[in-house]
Amino acid sequence: LLNLVSTNFLNLADSERVEEECVAALDKYGCGSCGPRGFYGTIDVHLELENRMAKFLGMEEAILYSYDISTPASAIPAFCKSGDLIVADAGVGYPLQSGMALSRSTVRYFKHNDLGDLRNLLDTIEEESKLGKGKDTQRRFMVVEGVYANYGDVAPLREIVELKEKHGFRLILDDSFALGVLGETGRGSLEHHDLRPEQVDIMLASLGHSFGSVGGICAGSRRVCDHQRLSGAGYVFSASLPPYLASAAVKSLDIIEEEGKEMIAELEAKTDRLRRGLTRALSRSRTLRVHEGMGPVIHLQLVGEKATDVSAVESMQGLVDAAARDGVFLTVAKYTFLDRYEGPPSIRIAVNVAHDEADLDRAVTVIKKAASKAGLV
């Protein structure tokens, strides 16, 4: 099957150079790390990865977590407490939702990628403060994603930074789906929007996508990272990342620094080709649309009256099954009952730099045929 599901965007999880580095690390360190970072679990490759990632992102420091989902679930509660205020995009994914819930802060959402709604919400909060409804000691944060996993679109980060500075908020940015694919050299949203590193207070990112490894990174000032070494639950209490996986991320970073420009340009061209092909193929469909975006994640959304129809959602699974029979592997985006995602049902497609143009053109043909069989065109 042609894999359009894996978020291994730069194909580094399949790199022989990365695999060789993993084998060498297993020979040197063994498999596990024997404990949390503060006890027996800190290995030299953990420190190397943290230093290299901080330098790559232009931040003062970075801290490494052993699982990507535990990164926001640990970092956000380390800074946000009961009585604090979080303003978040309504489209953020479950890892950020989990971190905000665990913080016990007051969370107020604005419509997904709607700057007008964000401005209105911030003005309302400011008016409430003037009326004495906000505590003077209340800490205030904004939470957004650089590229939204649930939509595949890009946050208007420059405008968000201007608003957070105007209203006195701190910004928490999850760049998991932007790191390694946005910006000329893959440095993510900051490079893409031409922002300074200090304009983002806390940056979170998964190593499980473009870097082809496991784990998560939180980057920011030295104070931000030092605080988590005593207050980040996933850092303090969880066994640290196995050294061979840290070595894999270091080698992936080497490859991105050496070949990133060419790989990212190629990935962008292939993503544009698939997105344009799908948009043309489904242009007459009243029920399926390609959500606008620019990252290597593309969502085919079910829209219109059928978006809440159970039989219509089942027909999307029929599309996926039909595509599989013709050699294209897709998946319907699924959410647990804990996830507050309120967007339309969708099929999530991920582009890999190793896909060739013939593969992508064939995928368009297969998806159009499968959509027609499922009654969605």
Side-chain angles (χ1 to χ4, degrees), residues 81-193:
K81 306 296 181 184
S82 178
D84 293 339
L85 174 66
I86 298 174
V87 169
D89 188 293
V92 297
Y94 178 71
L96 287 176
Q97 293 174 35
S98 176
M100 291 187 290
L102 289 169
S103 75
R104 296 180 296 166
S105 300
T106 300
V107 182
R108 298 175 70 169
Y109 290 95
F110 61 94
K111 294 177 183 176
H112 173 59
N113 258 1
D114 189 329
L115 287 171
D117 194 48
L118 173 57
R119 290 190 184 97
N120 291 337
L121 177 56
L122 294 174
D123 289 340
T124 300
I125 291 168
E126 200 161 288
E127 286 299 316
E128 291 173 353
S129 296
K130 290 177 182 177
L131 295 173
K133 295 182 180 180
K135 296 179 181 178
D136 293 337
T137 57
Q138 184 183 62
R139 289 166 292 197
R140 295 179 173 181
F141 300 84
M142 278 189 201
V143 174
V144 298
E145 294 179 24
V147 174
Y148 287 90
N150 289 338
Y151 295 87
D153 50 13
V154 176
L157 199 60
R158 178 168 287 279
E159 292 84 357
I160 288 171
V161 166
E162 290 174 359
L163 288 172
K164 76 101 176 177
E165 291 174 350
K166 175 183 176 182
H167 291 274
F169 278 68
R170 297 179 175 92
L171 179 61
I172 300 175
L173 170 68
D174 189 328
D175 229 23
S176 295
F177 280 80
L179 184 63
V181 296
L182 281 194
E184 185 181 4
T185 60
R187 284 170 167 81
S189 297
L190 292 178
E191 184 177 36
H192 175 73
H193 295 282

Side-chain angles (χ1 to χ4, degrees), residues 169-330:
F169 278 68
R170 297 179 175 92
L171 179 61
I172 300 175
L173 170 68
D174 189 328
D175 229 23
S176 295
F177 280 80
L179 184 63
V181 296
L182 281 194
E184 185 181 4
T185 60
R187 284 170 167 81
S189 297
L190 292 178
E191 184 177 36
H192 175 73
H193 295 282
D194 194 25
L195 293 168
R196 301 187 309 277
E198 61 269 19
Q199 290 179 284
V200 171
D201 300 278
I202 300 172
M203 178 186 286
L204 312 170
S206 169
L207 298 175
H209 305 302
S210 298
F211 279 74
S213 185
V214 175
I217 283 284
C218 178
S221 67
R222 184 165 289 107
R223 291 179 67 185
V224 161
C225 294
D226 281 348
H227 179 68
Q228 291 172 79
R229 292 190 172 95
L230 294 176
S231 302
Y235 183 93
V236 174
F237 297 109
S238 296
S240 62
L241 189 69
Y244 78 93
L245 290 170
S247 298
V250 170
K251 179 53 68 173
S252 293
L253 183 54
D254 288 341
I255 295 171
I256 291 172
E257 288 181 332
E258 293 167 10
E259 307 170 21
K261 285 187 179 182
E262 295 78 13
M263 294 170 72
I264 292 159
E266 184 178 358
L267 179 66
E268 184 177 348
K270 290 177 177 179
T271 302
D272 288 344
R273 185 182 186 92
L274 181 59
R275 192 185 296 276
R276 282 188 279 106
L278 289 171
T279 301
R280 286 195 302 269
L282 301 173
S283 60
R284 296 185 180 180
S285 174
R286 295 183 179 181
T287 52
L288 272 183
R289 74 171 181 193
V290 180
H291 188 73
E292 293 183 7
M294 65 174 298
V297 174
I298 301 171
H299 280 264
L300 300 183
Q301 294 180 330
L302 186 65
V303 295
E305 295 179 0
K306 289 189 174 183
T308 57
D309 189 331
V310 173
S311 63
V313 175
E314 289 175 348
S315 67
M316 293 185 75
Q317 185 61 49
L319 187 161
V320 169
D321 295 340
R325 288 192 291 271
D326 284 340
V328 176
F329 182 32
L330 303 172

